[in-house]
Every structure is written in C-alpha cells, then in structure tokens.
Amino acid sequence: MKSQAQALVQFENVTLGYRRNVIAKEISFSIEEGEFVGIVGPNGSGKTTIVRAILGILKPQRGDIRVRGRSSERLRIGYVPQRDSIDPIMPFTVSDVVIMGRYGRLGMIRRPTSKDRAAAIEALKHVDLLDQAASSYRDLSGGQKQRTLIARALAAEPDMLILDEPTNGMDLASRTAIMELIKHFHAEHGMTVLMVSHLLSDVANYVKKIMLVEPQFFQVGSVEEILSEANLTRVYDLPVMVGEWMGTKVIIARGKRV
Amino acid sequence: MSDFEIFRTIVTEFPYALLGSLVAALLCAYLGVYVVSKRVVFVGATLTQVAVAGIAFSHLPFADFEPLYGSIVFTVLVTLLFAWMLQSKSVPRDTVLGASFVAAIALRILMIQKSAAAEVSEIDAILKGDILFVTAQQFHLLLGVFIVLMLIHLVFYKAFIFVSFDAETATTQGFNSRVWEMVFYLTVGVAVSVATRVVGDVFVFGFLVIPAAGAILTARKVKNIFLLAILYAAIPPVIGLYLAFKLDLPAGPTTVTTGLVLLLVTWILSRFKH
C-alpha cells in the first residue's frame, strides 16, 4: 500500500460549505498519481463543491487538504468546465481558446511565446482538432467544443485533469468519442483524471475508483463496492439494476420508487 | 457657412470639443467591447446616471467642489458596491442595475432642486450633450485617464480576456476572477465618470455600445474586434460635430445618432455578406 505522502491529493476530515451551509462534513479520501477517479451522486449533493475544493477555489472550513503530502503545495490542474457554462459573443477561434490553457504558466504580464503556441498545437493534435484551429469556437458542434476545452486543459501540461460532466447533452457517438479520448490520456500518458458525471454507465466502464457523494454522506471505493444495486437503490431512492452485457457494465433504473 | 468653414471653425474655435469627443469615443469603444460581450450593457447606462448624480451632488450648497471629483467619487463607490453585488449573485443582476439606475436619476432630480440656477444649467448642458465648451483642463484630464486605463487594459490583456471568456477556469489558473472583475468595473466606472463630465451621458452610453456592436457584427478575430470598435468610434465624432454645427443641433446626441446610422449600415452590409 502506498504511503499517504505519495498521494497526489489527500483530504483529511475536510468540511466544506458556504458560510453556515455545510455541504460536505469531515470527508477523507486520497487520489493517487495516475488514478482515474469518478465523482457521482444526486443533483445538489456536493460534487461540484468537492471539485472546487480540489481546484483551490473553495477553502475548507475545517480539516486539511494536502498535495503530495504538503498543505502549501499547489497542483497544476487542467480543468474542463461544463461546456454550457461558456457562451462567448466574441469570435474566439479554437486556437484562441486553447492558448488560454498556457496563461497560468505566463503570469499576469508575459505574452504567449512560440513554446506556448507549440504546446497548444500539440494539445490540438491530441484531440484531433488541428484542422479546426482557425475555426470559430462558437460555430463548433458540442463534441468539438468539448474537445477544444480538453485541449485547453492539456495545453497547461497539468498534473491532473478534472472534467465536470464532459459528456453532458451529447449524443451516443459524441459521448463515446469523448470518453475514449479521456481513457486514452489516462492509459497512454498516465494522466491522473477526476471526472464528475451523473451518467453512471459512463463512470462504471471507465474509472477505477468512485466517490459517491450524497447530502451529508460520502463513500469512496472501487466500482464494484460503490455501484452495487443495494447502494444505488438507497442513494437514488429507485430500484436500480446493475448488470453486464458483452463485458460492459449496464446500470438501469426500473422507474418505480420503493 | 460652407462645409470647409464649418470644419475650420470646429478645429480652430472648438478644438477640445473635437479632441475630447474623439478621446471619449475611443475609450468608451474599447471598454464597450467587454461591456457588450460580458452582457452587462445596462451597467453603462447606470454608471452614466450615477456620474451625473455625482456632478449634481457637487453643486449642492454645502458641497461646492469641482463637479468632476463628485462624478468620480460617486461612480467609483457605486461601481464597487454593485460589482460586489453582481458577484454575490444573491440578487438578480438586472434588479441591481435597475434599482441603481432609477436611484441615480431620482437623486439627481432631488439634488438639482436644491442647486442654484447657474449650476442647474451646467447639469442641463451635460444631459443635453452640449460638448462645444470642453475646456483644455477637462480634455487633458480625459486624455490622462485614457492613457492610464488603456495601459492597464493592454498590459493585463490576458487577464481581462480570460476572465471574460471563462472566469471559473481563469481562477483555477491563478487569475483571481473576483479581483479582475472588480478591476474591470472600476476602469469602466472611472472612464464613464470622467467622460460623462466632458461629453455627456448619452454620448458615453452610446459609445459604450454602438462601436462594439458594429465590431462584433464584422470582426472574425478577437483582436480585430478592438481595432474595429476603435475605427467605428473615430468616425462619428467628426461627422457628428459637423452635422451639429450645420443643423444647429446638440453635438452629443447628433454624434450618437451618426454612430447609430453607421451601425445600421454595417448590419445591413453584414446581412448581404451572409
């Protein structure tokens, strides 16, 4: 078993909330380098709050968050927000968006250099969007926008990739393409990935570890432990079936409340 | 008077009217690109009324200081207050702006009631957009503000653009979005307060919106939007002052109307292009 000091991110009895509203109480977990972790749970359960704490946007009310064993260290995170939260009026090109992934390395004043532009091009190649570099971001399909945002996150050369509902509102083909892309980065490049999703089937077939977030309750464990019929039936207050078909996990709610 | 004589009169007799309106137009046009793309257009309308209220306040018997300072202090205080309220999201954005807008107008009317007739006519001239009597001192102050604010925006361009596009991700990359939003609103507040004193509220609000709208219709790249907005802003003050002289109209509204016509032509041409 790896020592706690080697964990990329370690939460120790962390309480998170906004003023008096406590969202997550005394939660503890670790994310090891190279893991692919999913965060699932009902709407409003606190998934986004935990992500904001990992991102460093939200400070814990109590407890300790450590990066590589130290409270003072910060991770370089490639963040992929929900696609619908970005709706620009200005005609940003795909290149304009991806180069923003380098801004964190440049500080407040320095302009992007040829090295930054090269990193942006490399990121676009990874997501197979180099031919769209000069295209307007506004005019892209949902899947292309998502790949652009993933490229932006990769351009930052991050320690960890965090994706918030990356397949939201996509058709089957686009969803599969995005998930295979994320899986590729995890498998081929050893990228540590944290993915928030309410699509349990996506999560079940790609991640190795799951955090299940409920209001005032938190579980972390393997896919088999967390995504069991008993657990999901209790969490979602619906009879849930978990099965397998041709090697793919399938999770279905039967639609009748217990 | 021939057209040549009109232009010569403007340049020789009212040079600061022309220069002041050009500088105000360029400054408002640049900031207006962010105002329009961030969908906070009503912020411009509200701040211009707050600036006029500040000018009215400085004319009250117990106040009696340079109206420009009243405009700046009022606008900066209100900018800080509603920048904070807009970020806290506890009250809808348009409610905050609407309440501020009507409060500024109401306060201005009340304060004018208590001012001497001479001061009322000065406020009246600002509201009508009578910019012919811009003084050298006012122009130099406006120019100084233009230079400082443009330097801030050009040096920290990355921060302003990133926060405008995606504030949440910008924060994860070390750009404190709350701070940069506050800085943005403060630069708009200072620009509006000084420009309103010089060229009037209609001019300022008009040039926060119209050039940026025209640029967004035509530009295909982000950097071109700023250049086009400045270009669209540079033309109406010259034509507007000429028309104001020729037709005996107030210069500010005439300039804004000229800008609107230019926007309409741009829109029609862009429809044909598509």
Side-chain angles (χ1 to χ4, degrees), chain A residues 182-213:
Chain A
I182 298 167
K183 178 183 167 185
H184 165 78
F185 275 104
H186 167 68
E188 300 298 318
H189 299 273
M191 178 71 70
T192 309
V193 179
L194 177 67
M195 184 175 75
V196 177
S197 180
H198 63 270
L199 296 171
L200 298 180
S201 295
D202 278 356
V203 175
N205 287 294
Y206 288 93
V207 309
K208 296 290 177 282
K209 185 155 99 180
I210 291 187
M211 294 188 230
L212 176 55
V213 186

Side-chain angles (χ1 to χ4, degrees), chain B:
Chain B
M1 218 189 252
S2 69
D3 293 344
F4 173 75
E5 280 168 353
I6 290 174
F7 277 113
R8 190 175 63 178
T9 304
I10 292 171
V11 170
T12 57
E13 302 293 326
F14 306 98
Y16 295 115
L18 179 61
L19 291 171
S21 55
L22 269 171
V23 171
L26 297 181
L27 179 59
C28 292
Y30 187 91
L31 295 175
V33 171
Y34 288 107
V35 169
V36 169
S37 61
K38 288 160 81 76
R39 299 176 171 92
V40 291
V41 167
F42 202 36
V43 166
T46 304
L47 287 179
T48 53
Q49 295 311 309
V50 170
V52 178
I55 294 167
F57 176 82
S58 62
H59 283 301
L60 289 174
F62 61 83
D64 193 28
F65 48 81
E66 164 56 41
L68 182 58
Y69 301 144
S71 171
I72 291 174
V73 169
F74 255 57
T75 313
V76 168
L77 283 175
V78 169
T79 302
L80 287 170
L81 177 65
F82 72 54
W84 172 71
M85 289 179 79
L86 288 172
Q87 287 185 30
S88 71
K89 296 187 173 90
S90 52
V91 182
R93 169 181 283 183
D94 55 354
T95 304
V96 172
L97 292 173
S100 307
F101 181 80
V102 75
I105 293 176
L107 279 172
R108 184 234 305 161
I109 292 170
L110 292 174
M111 287 187 283
I112 285 173
Q113 285 292 307
K114 295 297 178 185
S115 297
E119 282 85 37
V120 171
S121 70
E122 182 183 347
I123 299 166
D124 208 38
I126 289 170
L127 291 172
K128 275 190 192 164
D130 190 359
I131 62 178
L132 287 179
F133 300 101
V134 175
T135 65
Q137 186 193 21
Q138 288 169 341
F139 168 70
H140 289 126
L141 178 64
L142 178 63
L143 184 64
V145 167
F146 172 82
I147 291 168
V148 170
L149 295 185
M150 287 306 298
L151 270 174
I152 291 172
H153 271 269
L154 291 174
V155 168
F156 298 108
Y157 173 79
K158 292 202 319 289
F160 287 113
I161 276 289
F162 201 178
V163 171
S164 290
F165 179 75
D166 182 358
E168 189 179 37
T169 305
T171 301
T172 68
Q173 293 232 23
F175 294 85
N176 188 324
S177 294
R178 292 177 78 94
V179 168
W180 284 106
E181 291 278 11
M182 190 72 78
V183 171
F184 166 72
Y185 285 116
L186 274 174
T187 58
V188 173
V190 169
V192 165
S193 61
V194 176
T196 300
R197 176 72 183 88
V198 176
V199 294
D201 58 333
V202 172
F203 186 112
V204 170
F205 182 45
F207 277 81
L208 276 175
V209 177
I210 296 168
I216 284 167
L217 275 173
T218 44
R220 291 184 178 276
K221 290 183 180 180
V222 171
K223 284 203 168 112
N224 290 351
I225 276 197
F226 290 97
L227 291 171
L228 279 170
I230 286 168
L231 185 63
Y232 281 127
I235 301 168
V238 178
I239 300 175
L241 269 176
Y242 159 77
L243 288 173
F245 254 89
K246 188 141 179 106
L247 304 173
D248 191 23
L249 294 168
T254 307
T255 305
V256 173
T257 307
T258 308
L260 273 169
V261 168
L262 186 59
L263 176 62
L264 190 60
V265 167
T266 303
W267 179 73
I268 291 169
L269 289 175
S270 72
R271 301 290 291 180
F272 277 114
K273 198 169 132 189
H274 292 132

